């Protein structure tokens, strides 16, 4: 089984974007864990008490003028499919005002320019519901596993409310690392209330779906997978106005549906972490079997050799699962009318990408798509950085992978809606031409890991036996495991007046409305001169790297173009910061991806603009010439607005531009007391494949305040 470096040398550089891995005996080592579940027998959970709960704001005299939310992090259970033998044990957030729990909630609906204060109380038990690898930095055996902190992903917030990885706290009030190395970064505790923190969110941003999730060092991947993630919608009166009137350009709230898409695994047998129906998470680093999933190598420079002591409970490079869960329900269906709907989509997976397509359901094979009958096209109007400068038509018609790393077949389209972990999409779909009684299938064929793929992570009806025993197909008709057929739309009779707008009318209305909305939102597209050599612009090279840690496990790291270690550009999280800027500075980064994965790189504090991407010589990842070997290509149309999570492909350099403005808040924000940061405001940037972020693809991002 080739290493990823060998893959780069033999395939990426040669122009191949895809590979299928099989062991020396030709068998496929399996990751299928979940029980057989019927598809499309349970409804899609919506917003409300029987689905994703909506938080109820109150007031607090300590925070005048702000909507105040009191939440707790605690365990609860939820039935995630009727065929699961038991409700699933979860960790998540509960609205203490209503005492309502629910997966992916409580959703907070915020208003632009009206602050929100979120008070989080830690009520987590002392034992985790998932296996904890205590060899990871920040997760050592002496550190409690019931720690948490809250990161508003996509929020423009003061660093003290950003939920940095070392600002965690426990129910008893222990903060940061037990040796005091970073506990001093926790500056948002609540006086007289140990085990709680107040987070201040100014909400000085245009309409967009952001989300809040756990960010505690060493267990981010586990806490988020366990359920500690929820939606946060910033509303904007400019966009809201487009949803009202006799002919609204954007469907209103009654026809707006969240789609939080994840892959999960469920236990079929009990173990020390749970019973059948509970969440399964991989904890064994496969390396000895003939068809082992991952390489085990010599530790890279800077790591002490501990290869003889590989932990039994070990982190893995990526976690992929066999069952698709949307809004907390496995393989749901949604009843929709023949009219337009607005979908607020989020890829909430650990590592899996989704290449979203829509097809009519096959009459010969119920539950499967008929690829000869594509469904309605998508109109994307926004992403995680707010509204796009112009609407973008996608899936017109849908195209299947493998055709290119970015999910499109031609630089000029047609384009699919490809979503990496943490990416969001604000999409309108017009179902008015779909006959009542028809069913549609939401489908994805994105390989995992993306873009080269491993068939052991791909489950579809009639696919090969994934047990490695040469038996019958793992996935049978109408049932899971299945990672391709995500959900079903059932078109039912119209209950009210017909939608006055169809696809063409919507597109025409949006063509004029969205640029105006962008101007009125005070975030004009094109704020930055796209010439990276403009006066006052700082130009730097960054690298994405894959190496081997002290145990010989694959480790992903961020670096610059100046190697700290002799065999890699990668740097560890606790190495001295290299991304240090002054407030108000404009910076261009050329980010060279020397690995075999596409990495969704997430930027705290700032939104970025993608200027373009080009190829470079990645044949020897630790010896680079920082010069592109091709001209920069313009980003895809739905990448031409603001972004805060950016896909960066293997063998490509991605150029982004950003400005480091600090948020304006009505109180003094102290600088970080952590040694070596000189009072700077401490943020991070990292890969949002959560296993990569945890080990160790994250670096400090320090902004020095003016004055």
């Amino acid at each position: 089984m080739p290493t990823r470096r060998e893959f780069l040398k033999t395939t990426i550089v040669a122009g191949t974007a895809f590979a299928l891995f099989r062991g020396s005996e030709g068998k496929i080592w399996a990751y299928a864990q979940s029980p057989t579940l019927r598809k499309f027998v349970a409804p899609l959970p919506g917003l409300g008490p029987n689905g994703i709960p909506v938080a109820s704001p109150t007031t607090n005299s300590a925070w005048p003028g702000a909507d105040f939310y009191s939440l707790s992090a605690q365990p609860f259970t939820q039935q995630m499919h009727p065929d699961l033998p038991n409700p699933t044990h979860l960790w998540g957030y509960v609205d203490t005002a209503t005492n309502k729990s629910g997966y992916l909630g409580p959703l907070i609906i915020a208003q632009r320019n009206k602050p929100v204060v979120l008070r989080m109380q830690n009520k987590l038990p002392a034992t985790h519901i998932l296996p904890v690898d205590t060899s990871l930095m920040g997760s050592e055996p002496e550190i409690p596993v019931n720690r948490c902190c809250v990161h508003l992903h996509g929020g423009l917030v003061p660093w003290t409310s950003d939920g940095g990885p070392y600002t965690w706290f426990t129910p008893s009030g222990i903060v940061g690392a037990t040796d005091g190395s970073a506990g001093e970064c926790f500056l948002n505790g609540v006086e007289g209330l140990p085990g709680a923190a107040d987070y201040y969110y100014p909400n000085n941003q245009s309409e967009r779906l952001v989300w809040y999730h756990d960010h505690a060092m060493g267990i981010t991947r586990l806490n988020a997978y366990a359920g500690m993630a929820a939606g946060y919608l910033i509303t904007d009166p400019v966009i809201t106005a487009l949803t009202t009137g006799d002919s609204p350009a954007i469907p209103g709230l009654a026809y707006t549906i969240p789609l939080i898409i994840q892959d999960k695994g469920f236990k079929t047998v009990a173990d020390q972490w749970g019973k059948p129906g509970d969440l399964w998470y991989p904890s064994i680093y496969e390396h000895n079997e003939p068809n082992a999933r991952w390489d085990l190598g010599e530790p890279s420079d800077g790591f002490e050799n501990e290869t003889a002591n590989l932990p039994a409970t070990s982190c893995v490079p990526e976690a992929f699962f066999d069952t698709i869960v949307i809004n907390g329900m496995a393989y749901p269906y949604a009843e929709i009318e023949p009219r337009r709907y607005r979908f607020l989509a989020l890829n909430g997976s650990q590592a899996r990408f989704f290449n979203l397509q829509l097809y009519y359901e096959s009459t010969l094979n119920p539950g499967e798509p008929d690829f000869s009958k594509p469904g309605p096209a998508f109109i994307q109007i926004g992403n995680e950085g707010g509204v796009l400068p112009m609407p973008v038509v996608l899936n017109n018609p849908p195209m299947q992978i493998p055709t290119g790393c970015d999910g499109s077949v031609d630089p000029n389209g047609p384009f699919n809606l490809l979503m990496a972990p943490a990416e969001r999409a604000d999409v309108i779909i017009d179902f008015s031409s779909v006959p009542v009684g028809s069913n549609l299938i939401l489908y994805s064929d994105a390989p995992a890991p993306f873009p080269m793929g491993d068939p052991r992570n791909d489950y579809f009806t009639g696919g090969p036996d994934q047990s490695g025993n040469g038996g019958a197909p793992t996935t049978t008709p109408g049932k899971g495991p299945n990672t391709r057929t995500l959900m079903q739309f059932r078109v039912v009779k119209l209950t009210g007046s017909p939608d006055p707008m169809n696809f063409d009318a919507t597109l025409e209305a949006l063509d004029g409305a969205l640029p105006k909305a962008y101007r009125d939102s005070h975030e004009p597209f094109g704020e930055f001169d796209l010439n990276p050599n403009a006066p006052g612009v700082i130009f730097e090279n960054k690298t994405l790297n894959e190496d081997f840690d002290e145990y010989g496990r694959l480790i992903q790291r961020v670096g610059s173009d100046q190697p700290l270690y002799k065999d890699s550009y990668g740097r560890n999280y606790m190495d001295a910061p290299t991304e240090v800027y002054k407030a108000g500075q404009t910076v261009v980064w050329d980010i060279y991806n020397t690995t075999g994965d596409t990495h969704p790189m997430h930027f705290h504090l700032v939104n970025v603009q993608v200027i373009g991407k080009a190829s470079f010589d990645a044949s020897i990842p630790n010896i680079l010439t920082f010069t592109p070997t091709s001209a920069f290509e313009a980003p895809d149309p739905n990448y031409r607005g603001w972004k805060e999570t950016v896909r960066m492909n293997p063998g490509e350099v991605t150029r982004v531009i950003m400005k480091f403005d600090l948020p304006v808040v009505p109180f003094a924000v102290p600088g970080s007391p952590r040694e070596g940061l000189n009072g700077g405001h401490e943020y991070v940037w990292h890969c949002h494949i959560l296993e990569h972020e945890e080990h160790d693809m994250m670096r400090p991002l320090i902004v020095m305040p003016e004055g």
Side-chain angles (χ1 to χ4, degrees), residues 5 7 148 203-204 221 277 343 380 402 460 567 615 673 675:
R5 290 184 175 182
F7 173 85
C148 73
N203 297 317
N204 296 327
R221 73 200 188 286
F343 295 95
Q380 186 173 353
F460 55 95
D567 62 349
S615 60
E675 184 179 356

Side-chain angles (χ1 to χ4, degrees), residues 329-412:
M329 182 61 66
Y331 307 119
Y333 69 85
E335 291 186 343
I336 56 173
E337 299 179 8
R339 60 168 63 248
R340 295 174 306 153
Y341 285 82
R342 181 185 185 186
F343 295 95
L344 299 175
L346 159 67
N347 182 346
S349 294
Q350 306 289 109
R352 188 177 292 276
F353 288 56
F354 294 105
N355 184 48
L356 297 180
Q357 303 155 57
L358 194 61
Y359 299 96
Y360 280 82
E361 185 175 32
S362 171
T363 56
L364 297 177
N365 301 296
E368 302 299 321
D370 182 346
F371 294 116
S372 68
K373 295 181 63 177
F378 302 175
I379 302 175
Q380 186 173 353
I381 63 173
N383 57 24
E384 66 271 7
V387 298
L388 293 168
M390 294 293 287
V392 178
V393 176
L394 304 169
N395 291 67
N396 192 32
M399 305 298 293
Q400 296 177 51
I401 289 180
T403 51
C405 285
D406 61 358
S408 63
V409 294
D410 183 271
N412 299 311

Side-chain angles (χ1 to χ4, degrees), residues 614-647:
S615 60
F616 70 97
D617 183 359
S619 58
I620 307 177
N622 60 330
I623 303 176
L624 296 180
T625 300
F626 290 95
T627 303
T629 56
S630 71
F632 277 92
E633 297 179 356
D636 289 350
N638 61 348
Y639 257 54
R640 295 179 187 176
W642 296 104
K643 294 282 292 178
E644 44 84 332
T645 302
V646 178
R647 299 190 305 270

